[in-house]
C-alpha cells in the first residue's frame, strides 16, 4: 500500500536498499559506504544478479515501481580468484537449467545449481560464478546434468569464464 504510513507509521512504502557483507560469522550492513543508490528510499521489487562486465564481480540490476532500473556495479578489489562456468546442454535442455555442479578448489567444496530464478519478475544470469579466494587452481568440477549424465572436468583456468558442453552419454571425462 502506497499510503501504509497513514495507518502504520512504523512501516514505510519506500525503503532504502540494503547491502550486507557475509563476514563468515554474521552479516554486516555495508549500505552506508556502498554508493548513492543505497542512500535513497525506493519502491524496489526485482533483483537480477550476474557478472555484467565479465570481470569476476557479481553485479546487480534492481527494478523500481514507476521508476528506472538501477545497475549496481561491483567494483570491489580484494585480489581473490574466481571462475565462471557456462554450461551448454545437448541431451539436457540447452540452458542446462537444473544441472548441479560441485567445484573443489583449495581443498574446499562449493555447490551450485544452474537456474535463473531469484526475485520478483526478474531473471538472473544462468552462468555459475564461484569465488576461489586465494586458490589459483581448480582441483575438480563434477557436473550432474539434468539428463543424468555425470561429467568430471579438471585443470580449467581461473579468473575467466569457461564454457562446458554436455558430453554424449558415452563420453564421461574431459
Amino acid at each position: 500500500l502506497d499510503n501504509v504510513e497513514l495507518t502504520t507509521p512504523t512501516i514505510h512504502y519506500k525503503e532504502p536498499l540494503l547491502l550486507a557483507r557475509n563476514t563468515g560469522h554474521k552479516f554486516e550492513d555495508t549500505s552506508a559506504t556502498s554508493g548513492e543508490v543505497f542512500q535513497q528510499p525506493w519502491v524496489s521489487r526485482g533483483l537480477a544478479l550476474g557478472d555484467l562486465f565479465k570481470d569476476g564481480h557479481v553485479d546487480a540490476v534492481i527494478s523500481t515501481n514507476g521508476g528506472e532500473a538501477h545497475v549496481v556495479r561491483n567494483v570491489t578489489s580484494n585480489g581473490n580468484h574466481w571462475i565462471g562456468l557456462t554450461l551448454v546442454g545437448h541431451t539436457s535442455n540447452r540452458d542446462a537449467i537444473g544441472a548441479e555442479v560441485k567445484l573443489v578448489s583449495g581443498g574446499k567444496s562449493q555447490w551450485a545449481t544452474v537456474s535463473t530464478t531469484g526475485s520478483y519478475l526478474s531473471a538472473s544470469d544462468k552462468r555459475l560464478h564461484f569465488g576461489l579466494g586465494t586458490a589459483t587452481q581448480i582441483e575438480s568440477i563434477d557436473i550432474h546434468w539434468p539428463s543424468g549424465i555425470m561429467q568430471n572436468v579438471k585443470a580449467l583456468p581461473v579468473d575467466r569464464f569457461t564454457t562446458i558442453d554436455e558430453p554424449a552419454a558415452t563420453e564421461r571425462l574431459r
Side-chain angles (χ1 to χ4, degrees):
L1 297 172
D2 60 359
N3 64 352
V4 69
E5 290 141 338
L6 295 176
T7 58
T8 314
T10 58
I11 298 177
H12 305 288
Y13 183 61
K14 291 183 175 184
E15 293 283 344
L17 301 174
L18 170 69
L19 184 63
R21 178 177 178 268
N22 184 351
T23 67
H25 303 286
K26 64 179 184 172
F27 288 97
E28 175 183 280
D29 184 351
T30 61
S31 305
T33 59
S34 297
E36 185 180 317
V37 73
F38 293 95
Q39 308 310 311
Q40 304 171 42
W42 304 99
V43 182
S44 302
R45 291 291 182 261
L47 171 72
L49 301 171
D51 186 347
L52 299 176
F53 303 95
K54 297 182 181 180
D55 59 4
H57 298 103
V58 177
D59 307 295
V61 178
I62 303 161
S63 66
T64 59
N65 280 13
E68 60 187 24
H70 299 281
V71 175
V72 181
R73 185 169 187 180
N74 181 348
V75 294
T76 58
S77 178
N78 58 17
N80 288 336
H81 299 283
W82 60 279
I83 187 168
L85 301 177
T86 302
L87 303 187
V88 179
H90 295 285
T91 303
S92 300
N93 64 83
R94 180 103 175 126
D95 288 332
I97 302 295
E100 299 172 338
V101 177
K102 176 185 176 187
L103 178 140
V104 179
S105 179
K108 297 179 181 177
S109 299
Q110 298 180 59
W111 291 264
T113 301
V114 177
S115 174
T116 59
T117 63
S119 184
Y120 180 71
L121 296 177
S122 303
S124 290
D125 192 346
K126 68 181 181 79
R127 298 175 299 177
L128 299 178
H129 182 279
F130 293 94
L132 306 177
T134 59
T136 58
Q137 294 183 334
I138 304 294
E139 293 160 32
S140 70
I141 297 174
D142 293 318
I143 305 169
H144 183 184
W145 293 89
S147 64
I149 293 173
M150 301 292 286
Q151 183 179 17
N152 179 268
V153 180
K154 296 183 186 298
L156 290 179
V158 300
D159 298 331
R160 68 187 68 181
F161 283 96
T162 299
T163 298
I164 300 175
D165 285 287
E166 179 181 24
T170 56
E171 179 188 340
R172 303 292 175 145
L173 298 177
R174 185 174 193 204

